[in-house]
Amino acid sequence: MESWREGIFQLCWQQHGGSGLAVTLDDALELPTSDRDWMIERIGQQRAREAKELEKAAKRR
């Protein structure tokens, strides 16, 4: 249950600055499990990419 809740939170959370999907709770609850799981995995990948780009930008300053 905790994993399911965390997944729904990740889909709905919109990070400061507008980064993220900002899926509504109703939309997240209606997603098929396979789509929800794929999106959660993809969000993790995107956040890692963004963190890497921010790190690179900071080093250029």
Side-chain angles (χ1 to χ4, degrees):
M1 185 57 120
E2 186 63 28
S3 176
W4 180 83
R5 285 181 177 141
E6 181 62 31
I8 295 298
F9 177 82
Q10 286 183 42
L11 290 176
C12 296
W13 177 256
Q14 186 169 8
Q15 293 174 266
H16 178 71
S19 180
L21 297 177
V23 173
T24 67
L25 180 58
D26 288 338
D27 289 343
L29 292 173
E30 290 181 18
L31 284 170
T33 303
S34 59
D35 289 347
R36 186 202 67 217
D37 292 348
W38 180 88
M39 291 178 84
I40 292 166
E41 179 68 28
R42 183 62 181 85
I43 288 168
Q45 293 169 1
Q46 187 64 31
R47 287 180 176 160
R49 285 182 196 160
E50 290 176 5
K52 188 179 281 187
E53 289 300 318
L54 287 171
E55 187 177 314
K56 283 175 29 178
K59 287 180 181 180
R60 285 183 261 187
R61 291 183 179 182

